[in-house]
Amino acid sequence: IKDAASEALERRQAKKGYMEVRGRFEGPEEPPVWVSEHRLLVQRLIGRPLEDGEVVHHRDRNPGHNALVNLLL
């Protein structure tokens, strides 16, 4: 899995400590958008977009700790 931050143009801490990344994740011709890093990482791991109602949890309850071993769908 490619690290979300490696494709990101920017990375920031959003509200409540969650990390967001800004990049062209929909394609090189699309404008950059901000997305939740933890959700992007899990989508890449499972190979599909998250469905409505699917929630990504942080095992250690630290919203800034986005290592894959810490994320639970």
Side-chain angles (χ1 to χ4, degrees):
I1 291 181
K2 202 169 186 181
D3 179 15
S6 68
E7 288 183 47
L9 301 174
E10 297 177 66
R11 188 173 189 245
R12 69 180 180 193
Q13 186 172 356
K15 62 182 178 180
K16 299 184 181 179
Y18 290 96
M19 298 306 296
E20 293 181 331
V21 289
R22 182 174 169 257
R24 291 183 172 90
F25 304 109
E26 299 297 321
E29 302 300 318
E30 297 298 319
V33 294
W34 286 102
V35 298
S36 296
E37 185 179 51
H38 65 291
R39 293 179 58 83
L40 178 64
L41 289 170
V42 169
Q43 288 178 102
R44 292 197 174 164
L45 177 67
I46 64 175
R48 64 170 175 79
L50 295 176
E51 297 178 7
D52 290 341
E54 287 187 313
V55 179
V56 178
H57 298 279
H58 292 83
R59 291 178 189 262
D60 67 359
R61 299 180 188 251
N62 175 354
H65 181 200
N66 290 328
L68 287 174
V69 297
N70 191 49
L71 301 177
L72 178 66
L73 178 62

